[in-house]
Every structure is written in C-alpha cells, then in structure tokens.
Amino acid sequence: VKKESGFNFWMSILLPILIPSLLLVWLFAYSFRRANKGAMQIFSFSRANIKLFNRDKDKVTFKDVAGLKEAKEEMKEIVDFLKHPKKFQDLGARIPRGVLLMGAPGTGKTLLARAVAGEANVPFFYISGSEFVEMFVGVGASRVRDAFLAAKKAAPSILFIDEIDAIGRIRGAGIGGGHDEREQTLNQILVEMDGFDRNTRVIVMAATNRPDILDPALLRPGRFDRRIVLDLPNIKEREEILKIHSRNKSLSPQVNLREVAERTPGFSGADLANLVNEAALLAARRNKTQITQAELLDSIEKVMLGPERKSRILTKKEKEITAYHEAGHALTSALLPGTAQVRKVSIIARGRAAGYTMRTPREEKYMKTR
Ligand code: ADP
C-alpha cells in the first residue's frame, strides 16, 4: 500500500464537493442576472423606439430633393422659422406645429422632412406610427409622451411620425373593433401638440398615403394644419431624380437620362433610385466598368415587372396563346389614335406575367378618355 501524498489526497476529497457547489453558485448568479435584465426590460418597454439621425453623416438638404417645387416652397418657411423664430414671434404670428405630408409611397415624404432638418441644421427624430401600437394597453400613449419629450429636450427639432394612419384613423368608426388603445395613443398626440406653448420650437411632421381616413381632430388648426401633397414626379422631375441618384455612380458619358425618364411614367422617386441601383448591379454582372444606356433601359423592365424568368417553361400551346394576347395589345396600341406608343413586345415571362407589351404614353396625362 502506497501512502497518499498530502496535496493529491486532499484534492481527491475536496474536488467532488467543490466543483458541483461552484457550478450551483454560478447557475444561481446567472439566472438571477437574467431575471434582473427581464425586469429592467419591463421599464424600458414603454420607451419609444425613436431614431435620431446623425446630423453630419446622413445630412440631406434641398439639393438632394428633385422636383416637388411647391412642397419645397412651403418647407422653406418652416426652415426659416426654425432658424429665426424671433422674426415670426415679433409679428405675433402663430407658428405651424404640424405638417402633414401626403403622397404615394416613395414620393419622398421622409426625404423632404429630413431635408428640412438638414437645411435648418436641427436634430431629426424619426418614429413610425406602427411602433406605438403594442399588445399592452397604455404603452402607445406612454411612447408618444416619450417621443415628444425627447424632441422637446432637443428643441429646436423635428419629430417625424411616419405612417400616421396606423394610429390616426377616424375614431369611433368601429373599424377594427373600436380599438381603445389606438384612440388613447391618438389622444395623447393631440394632447402633446396642444401642450406646445408659443415658444416651443418643435415641428411635428407626419406622413401618410391615406389622408382620407385620418381623424378630423388631427387636421384641426393648431395641429396638422399644414397639408402638403407630394405628387408622383413628371418627366422633368424624373430626369432630375435620376441625375441625383447617378451622381456617385460611374455612368458612361453616352447615357441619355431623358430617354429613361420618358420611359418611366408612373415611377416614384424610390422606384427611380432603385432603377439606377439595378442598372449598376447589372453593369457589374456584365463585367462593365461603366453603366451604359442598355443597363438603364433593361432595369426599367426589371423594376416594373420583376426579373426575367427564363426557366419558367411554357408549353408550345401556352406560348402561342401569350403571343396572340400580347400581339392584340400591341396592335390595338399601334393602330388606335390617342394610345400609348409600343416599345417592346415579349413572351418571356417576367415576375408574374407570362408576357408583356411595354407602352409609354407620348405625353404625361392625368385623365383618361372613355
Ligand atoms: P416616402 O417616405 O414618401 O415613402 P421616401 O422619402 O422614403 O419615400 O423616399 C424613398 C427614396 O426615394 C429616397 O430615399 C430617395 O432616394 C428617393 N426619392 C424619392 N423622391 C425623391 C426626390 N424627389 N428626389 C430625389 N430622390 C427621391
């Protein structure tokens, strides 16, 4: 029998006790910390998830916004107020508190609001209307309070509420089952805006593409009494938008942006920005060093209808039907007076369409004849 040495002997006795107990202590500490964190989350839950744009890094000015002439004129006044409030106060003028931007998606509502902040050099707070909506009652209202508090603290500033129709629907209409929580949230916005005194230099801007469903109380004087409509760009504005977005891209000198603008009626600013980007991606895929007209024109179809789907095999019969169908579109357009010009006919599937006839109107039209 060998005599155990001191250290090993004690270790063989201690370790089996020590390791499990250390493990237990760690386990307790860990779960305790987790629980603590969870408890803290309940308190931060009612905080608004408000985004503050970096004033220098993502600065946007009116130069970055093409077209929208009237809207920009209106906004210049707001910029002036944010910069020189005294001029207005001396005259006893009441400063607008809320500006409602109305327009189709992608027409530049957010962009314009950010440009105002950039021009006036004030902080820009962004929150989306849907972020106020939560599962728990009262959270929306408390988030509104929080958002306004942050904006007021940083005054002069701009608080931008995107998609305000998510909470600003007509109250009591019974749509969505009389959503009490949403009403409370809306009420809180109204209360906050009424609470501004004459010297509060916070401008609330809200964006929506459904102005028809907004609660009339929101549109009352003293709230969102400025209403600015943003239209889809016309041909000249489309060319300008294309120019802005191709500024930092390597474009071949032969590119004719006017032609691209001609072929893209109904495109929003966001669509055009996307088009230029698609063209750049396409040029890279074709191993070119510059974007040429071909890529720009090809991207129009991609943005409009989705990518080509050459792998979708149609039977001979189906192809024939598609060909007849598209030929019908093309012929009626070509032969009838007052119709759009046919640019291209294709029976290669794209997006959800089996084939398509691309037509562009000869001029911008806002009305259709019978
Ligand atoms: P909305 O808020 O109306 O849905 P955004 O303001 O977010 O649209 O616009 C999306 C993008 O489209 C912008 O970031 C910008 O790149 C482009 N865009 C839209 N309108 C214009 C415009 N008038 N001039 C330049 N770019 C525009």
Side-chain angles (χ1 to χ4, degrees):
V1 177
K2 231 164 78 191
K3 195 165 177 257
E4 293 273 2
S5 76
F7 182 74
N8 277 352
F9 173 71
W10 285 111
M11 272 300 155
S12 65
I13 295 175
L14 279 181
L15 273 189
I17 306 166
L18 219 62
I19 288 179
S21 42
L22 275 180
L23 212 72
L24 266 176
V25 168
W26 176 80
L27 207 74
F28 266 112
Y30 181 72
S31 58
F32 198 70
R33 264 222 320 270
R34 286 283 299 262
N36 237 347
K37 235 197 225 156
M40 291 308 285
Q41 249 163 17
I42 293 184
F43 290 111
S44 66
F45 187 64
S46 59
R47 301 288 304 274
N49 183 14
I50 190 165
K51 254 203 309 261
L52 175 63
F53 278 82
N54 188 317
R55 229 187 288 183
D56 303 311
K57 214 176 82 221
D58 358 84
K59 184 164 175 156
V60 176
T61 60
F62 284 152
K63 272 212 297 298
D64 302 297
V65 186
L68 305 172
K69 195 156 163 283
E70 288 88 3
K72 270 201 248 178
E73 284 301 320
E74 287 272 324
M75 290 301 196
K76 276 192 187 133
E77 195 184 302
I78 306 232
V79 172
D80 203 21
F81 161 66
L82 284 167
K83 274 182 164 168
H84 317 285
K86 204 156 174 321
K87 188 166 97 185
F88 293 82
Q89 281 157 0
D90 287 349
L91 283 167
R94 190 176 51 78
I95 300 306
R97 287 172 185 160
V99 181
L100 187 65
L101 299 164
M102 308 186 285
T107 40
K109 299 182 288 289
T110 317
L111 189 72
L112 191 61
R114 279 179 60 191
V116 173
E119 290 284 335
N121 204 15
V122 299
F124 179 80
F125 293 96
Y126 173 98
I127 189 159
S128 172
S130 55
E131 279 167 60
F132 291 120
V133 185
E134 264 298 345
M135 197 163 61
F136 301 105
V137 174
V139 170
S142 118
R143 283 189 185 165
V144 170
R145 240 172 280 138
D146 198 50
F148 275 81
L149 199 70
K152 273 194 223 163
K153 243 190 222 158
S157 62
I158 289 179
L159 175 61
F160 184 77
I161 307 177
D162 208 358
E163 323 274 354
I164 197 166
D165 40 288
I167 38 171
R169 264 169 192 275
I170 297 174
R171 287 170 293 180
I175 306 169
H179 200 314
D180 263 346
E181 164 63 359
R182 212 174 46 211
E183 286 191 13
Q184 274 185 25
T185 309
L186 177 56
N187 282 338
Q188 190 63 39
I189 291 187
L190 300 181
V191 168
E192 289 288 346
M193 288 187 77
D194 285 342
F196 284 1
D197 55 32
R198 284 194 44 195
N199 300 323
T200 313
R201 283 157 74 193
V202 176
I203 304 267
V204 187
M205 295 198 180
T208 180
N209 41 26
R210 296 290 314 275
D212 49 314
I213 58 163
L214 288 185
D215 195 280
L218 263 180
L219 309 176
R220 217 197 60 188
R223 287 159 185 173
F224 290 100
D225 44 5
R226 286 286 164 111
R227 267 156 271 167
I228 298 180
V229 179
L230 280 74
D231 279 322
L232 286 176
N234 62 27
I235 179 163
K236 220 175 113 247
E237 292 167 338
R238 285 200 298 275
E239 193 180 343
E240 282 173 40
I241 296 176
L242 287 169
K243 256 189 212 136
I244 285 183
H245 288 284
S246 46
R247 264 191 317 216
N248 49 12
K249 300 210 165 52
S250 133
L251 229 56
S252 142
Q254 275 95 39
V255 161
N256 178 358
L257 290 179
R258 176 81 189 181
E259 191 190 0
V260 181
E262 269 169 21
R263 292 194 187 194
T264 47
F267 271 46
S268 69
D271 288 334
L272 293 168
N274 188 14
L275 189 158
V276 178
N277 192 46
E278 286 289 345
L281 294 177
L282 200 58
R285 209 182 308 155
R286 293 178 181 169
N287 290 324
K288 293 192 180 173
T289 50
Q290 283 183 322
I291 306 170
T292 68
Q293 190 77 352
E295 279 83 42
L296 284 167
L297 295 184
D298 286 349
S299 306
I300 296 178
E301 284 157 71
K302 184 157 181 207
V303 172
M304 204 156 30
L305 299 158
E308 264 184 6
R309 291 171 49 189
K310 289 195 172 136
S311 63
R312 185 165 149 192
I313 314 274
L314 298 174
T315 61
K316 191 159 176 295
K317 181 82 188 151
E318 282 168 326
K319 264 193 200 145
E320 203 176 315
I321 293 172
T322 312
Y324 272 111
H325 180 99
E326 297 307 330
H329 281 304
L331 280 176
T332 45
S333 288
L335 296 176
L336 289 176
T339 47
Q341 193 176 358
V342 179
R343 295 275 188 184
K344 184 170 181 179
V345 191
S346 168
I347 56 164
I348 292 177
R350 227 179 225 287
R352 298 185 56 197
Y356 60 95
T357 304
M358 203 166 106
R359 286 167 297 179
T360 49
R362 280 162 235 264
E363 59 207 356
E364 217 90 23
K365 276 189 289 196
Y366 298 99
M367 292 178 193
K368 287 196 169 69
T369 60
R370 207 162 159 192

